[in-house]
Amino acid sequence: MTETPFRLTSLAHGGGCGCKLAPSVLQELLSGQAKGGPFERLLVGTETGDDAAVYDLDGTTTIIATTDFFMPMVDDPDHFGRIAATNAISDVYAMGGRPIMALAILGMPLGKIETDVVRAILQGGQAICAEAGIPVAGGHSIDCPEPVYGLAVIGTAPRDRIRRNADAKAGDALILTKALGVGVYSAAFKKEALSADAYDEMIATTTRLNKVGAELAKDAAVHAVTDVTGFGILGHGLEMARGSAKRLRISRGALPLLAHAEALVRQGFVTGASHRNWASYGAEVDLDAGTPEHWRHLLTDPQTSGGLLVSCAEAEAERLLGEIQAAGFAAARRIGVVEEGAPRVTVEA
């Protein structure tokens, strides 16, 4: 662990994927954007809020492009770099692709952070890129009031392996590959209330690459995939519901949680993003009448470097779940089903 003479998180007003603009704000910003023209080879753009852009090169091979960056949610600069890089690369895996290179995005408040701290952030990101088997081939840096780090990532995939968030089918089973509660943990960490074992648990999940997404895309039984990040399981589930024109029904009791998440949220450790998320899309969500208030916060909790939400054929769900768990995602669980109906998310006990 790299020691700093100050808390890195003290230089940022928010951290991790909790920094994202609220879903409603993002929709408003994008709604009035004029299109530059018809691009027949652009297979995935902004229409469905998917994880990355996809461009068809030659009818067989596609290029996947994404970018993701945020402010620190932890104080250790190496851990910050690793989390941010893992989170950015995840978008390529969520589309069914494999990354081929990355470019660093760096904004640092000059005069407030020592050079060796910034170097440790970059080295953390480099270490994760090496684990993914890709180079950091360049990047861009600016003087910025708050520390910001992330990556632009390029990947490839055969066209028939692209998995959008908009192709869920009625009757599908839903699988979530990582436990929820990262935002709750980060809120507790900022107030110095997160135990050492919980911190280790948070670092382990947020630095686990979602490589399994590229493997799942080889399977015809996998119909739709998205990664669960700043909008929480409800927000990203709703994007899948809207894009697929289907209803998602989620079992609250089936959702995997980090070990201390429920206890911490009961104590009041909730991010501002959780409240913004619910204000943005709560009208399109049906919660069971008996849902406790703390569970609403867990359902909207922003996940930094979260897991994949997978919509797959019901008959193959148990096999796929076993393969996901065997790939290192022990927390993966079946969490619900896809149904015909107006695009909404229904949560039951």
Side-chain angles (χ1 to χ4, degrees):
M1 179 177 290
T2 305
E3 296 293 336
T4 61
F6 54 86
R7 296 195 73 189
L8 196 58
T9 51
S10 70
L11 300 177
H13 74 279
C17 285
C19 298
K20 292 177 72 167
L21 294 177
S24 58
V25 175
L26 188 59
Q27 284 182 330
E28 184 178 352
L29 290 173
L30 294 176
S31 64
Q33 298 295 319
K35 294 185 177 181
F39 298 98
E40 294 83 0
R41 292 191 177 185
L42 182 63
L43 303 181
V44 181
T46 61
E47 297 79 14
T48 58
D50 221 319
D51 299 299
V54 181
Y55 189 86
D56 181 4
L57 280 180
D58 55 13
T60 302
T61 303
T62 65
I63 291 291
I64 303 169
T66 185
T67 182
D68 215 313
F69 50 88
F70 47 62
M71 292 167 283
M73 57 182 284
V74 294
D75 294 324
D76 184 290
D78 174 75
H79 289 170
F80 172 38
R82 288 172 184 268
I83 294 168
T86 307
N87 181 74
I89 296 170
S90 176
D91 287 340
V92 173
Y93 292 131
M95 300 304 301
R98 295 186 183 278
I100 58 173
M101 70 174 178
L103 303 174
I105 299 166
L106 181 70
M108 288 292 145
L110 296 179
K112 294 183 180 179
I113 297 182
E114 298 295 329
T115 303
D116 60 342
V117 174
V118 180
R119 185 182 300 114
I121 294 171
L122 295 173
Q123 288 173 340
Q126 173 83 43
I128 289 296
C129 286
E131 185 179 337
I134 63 172
V136 179
H140 186 65
S141 59
I142 62 169
D143 180 8
C144 189
E146 298 181 82
V148 173
Y149 174 69
L151 300 174
V153 188
I154 304 298
T156 65
R159 179 167 175 160
D160 61 1
R161 290 186 190 171
I162 291 297
R163 292 297 185 269
R164 306 187 307 164
N165 67 359
D167 295 316
K169 302 180 186 301
D172 277 0
L174 294 171
I175 296 173
L176 181 63
T177 66
K178 287 186 183 181
L180 303 173
V182 174
V184 172
Y185 273 35
S186 64
F189 176 81
K190 196 152 190 178
K191 295 183 179 179
E192 301 185 60
L194 192 68
S195 64
D197 66 307
Y199 180 85
D200 290 344
E201 184 187 21
M202 180 175 70
I203 298 303
T205 189
T206 55
T207 59
R208 181 174 295 116
L209 287 163
N210 282 324
K211 289 183 179 181
V212 70
E215 297 304 314
L216 290 171
K218 298 176 183 178
D219 199 311
V222 174
H223 301 146
V225 181
T226 191
D227 65 350
V228 178
T229 54
F231 300 156
I233 183 62
L234 287 187
H236 293 285
L238 186 57
E239 286 182 333
M240 182 177 283
R242 289 171 179 157
S244 305
K246 298 289 185 291
R247 178 186 294 269
L248 268 59
R249 186 174 299 276
I250 291 173
S251 170
R252 171 165 46 88
L255 288 169
L257 299 178
L258 295 175
H260 305 277
E262 191 165 5
L264 287 169
V265 78
R266 283 178 178 273
Q267 295 170 41
F269 293 108
V270 178
T271 68
S274 176
H275 295 288
R276 293 193 298 273
N277 283 341
W278 181 254
S280 293
Y281 55 64
E284 297 176 78
V285 173
D286 301 310
L287 296 184
D288 179 81
T291 303
E293 179 67 10
H294 74 273
W295 256 103
R296 182 170 67 82
H297 294 306
L298 289 167
L299 291 164
T300 57
D301 188 52
Q303 302 306 292
T304 300
S305 192
L308 301 177
L309 177 61
V310 180
S311 180
C312 64
E314 163 65 29
E316 302 298 328
E318 285 303 314
R319 173 182 64 80
L320 288 165
L321 177 61
E323 291 176 3
I324 292 167
Q325 292 172 334
F329 296 84
R333 296 291 185 273
R334 289 181 62 169
I335 65 165
V337 296
V338 180
E339 301 175 339
E340 295 288 359
R344 297 181 67 86
V345 176
T346 297
V347 182
E348 299 176 332

